[in-house]
Amino acid sequence: RASTMPKQREKAPEPKKAKKEKKSNPLFQPTPRNFRIGGNVRPQGRDLSRFVKWPRYVRLQRQKKILQQRLKVPPALNQFSNTLDKNQATELFKLMMKYQPEDSKAKAERIKASAEAAAAGEESGEATKAPLVVKYGLKHVTYLVEQKKAKLVAIASDVEPIELVLWLPALCKKMDVPYCIVKNKARLGWIVHQKKAAVCCLTGVKKEDQHSLENLRNNFVSQYNQNVQVTRKWGGGIMGLKTQAKLAKREKALQAELAKKAQY
């Protein structure tokens, strides 16, 4: 059966609008992006550290390092750049780790056992005696050096401010106490259960470690205590790459001019 619904009239097609041609400005040429391989998309894993705004403390320590390279550093300060190499530092820390200070729990147990032995009228054994440990703290170590009780002193190279330990190498030399300068105050702090330590020292070791201690002492005496060049050598004065290139270019031009004059 034919439908009784009235047929909708079909709309007449709208006339197509003519596209406007974009006039290109000769001063500002279009640069369309290319998203294919090697195009405008940034590759993964690119090092953007040069474009990062670093925290203030990072910028300060980097600027300080550059300044210390550029400026002339007097010998008293420059001696702290003469640190132990990896092998010597490993030997030193291996020895010091055997004499780590006891923690508070172990100390409390030792004192308790000693008190119980004293109350019972028994003689306190080796376990209840105070053990041989690494001494730390600037005032304490200074006292031990002055009393010539310290056998070996390790000073950190990155103490802030450096004036805290600036005089300590001179004191060690005067008192004939072998000393050395190690790279990181955090490494010294790790030995003595602290975040960082400016200076540590050994006052004695067990019989089995006596030989390794004597070896270290002899090495440090020749490397630091008796080394006169350490206290006379100035540091710094290293220019940047741009300045070096500029000076080299200037020197080259001067040599060329002198060679030209020599011909006449």
Side-chain angles (χ1 to χ4, degrees), residues 133-248:
V133 293
V134 175
K135 308 291 183 183
Y136 65 100
L138 201 52
K139 286 178 77 173
H140 186 37
V141 171
T142 306
Y143 171 77
L144 292 171
V145 172
E146 286 172 344
Q147 299 297 315
K148 295 189 177 182
K149 291 180 180 178
K151 304 292 183 196
L152 180 66
V153 178
I155 308 166
S157 64
D158 56 343
V159 178
E160 193 64 40
I162 196 69
E163 286 84 3
L164 290 172
V165 292
L166 196 61
W167 43 270
L168 197 53
L171 179 67
C172 290
K173 282 180 183 177
K174 187 181 178 183
M175 295 296 172
D176 291 324
V177 175
Y179 76 95
C180 64
I181 295 169
V182 295
K183 265 188 181 174
N184 205 335
K185 59 188 174 186
R187 290 181 80 186
L188 288 180
W190 179 56
I191 290 169
V192 294
H193 308 299
Q194 301 290 323
K195 282 186 180 176
K196 48 199 172 188
V199 58
C200 294
C201 80
L202 281 167
T203 52
V205 292
K206 293 173 185 172
K207 207 170 187 179
E208 60 265 24
D209 296 320
Q210 195 67 41
H211 179 66
S212 57
L213 177 66
E214 283 303 318
N215 281 346
L216 287 170
R217 278 168 59 91
N218 294 335
N219 290 341
F220 296 159
V221 164
S222 59
Q223 192 174 342
Y224 290 97
N225 292 56
Q226 293 175 358
N227 191 354
V228 183
Q229 291 302 318
V230 172
T231 53
R232 291 180 184 174
K233 187 182 176 184
W234 282 68
I238 303 165
M239 293 295 106
L241 292 174
K242 287 181 182 177
T243 311
Q244 285 178 20
K246 195 190 292 181
L247 291 172

Side-chain angles (χ1 to χ4, degrees), residues 50-186:
R50 285 180 63 84
F51 308 101
V52 176
K53 187 175 181 184
W54 293 97
R56 189 163 176 267
Y57 80 94
V58 174
R59 279 178 283 156
L60 278 174
Q61 67 191 14
R62 288 180 179 178
Q63 288 164 358
K64 181 188 172 187
K65 187 183 177 184
I66 297 295
L67 271 176
Q68 284 177 340
Q69 287 177 348
R70 301 286 180 270
L71 302 176
K72 285 189 176 179
V73 182
L77 283 173
N78 189 51
Q79 65 180 335
F80 288 92
S81 63
N82 180 31
T83 54
L84 291 180
D85 61 18
K86 189 178 179 182
N87 294 332
Q88 287 178 312
T90 306
E91 288 296 318
L92 175 66
F93 285 118
K94 196 187 289 183
L95 178 64
M96 282 187 158
M97 282 300 290
K98 291 181 181 179
Y99 298 95
Q100 271 191 305
E102 55 189 354
D103 55 6
S104 54
K105 189 178 178 182
K107 188 177 181 181
E109 287 174 1
R110 179 176 60 79
I111 291 170
K112 186 181 176 184
S114 177
E116 285 172 355
E122 299 171 3
E123 285 188 12
S124 57
E126 287 293 322
T128 56
K129 283 183 181 178
L132 291 166
V133 293
V134 175
K135 308 291 183 183
Y136 65 100
L138 201 52
K139 286 178 77 173
H140 186 37
V141 171
T142 306
Y143 171 77
L144 292 171
V145 172
E146 286 172 344
Q147 299 297 315
K148 295 189 177 182
K149 291 180 180 178
K151 304 292 183 196
L152 180 66
V153 178
I155 308 166
S157 64
D158 56 343
V159 178
E160 193 64 40
I162 196 69
E163 286 84 3
L164 290 172
V165 292
L166 196 61
W167 43 270
L168 197 53
L171 179 67
C172 290
K173 282 180 183 177
K174 187 181 178 183
M175 295 296 172
D176 291 324
V177 175
Y179 76 95
C180 64
I181 295 169
V182 295
K183 265 188 181 174
N184 205 335
K185 59 188 174 186

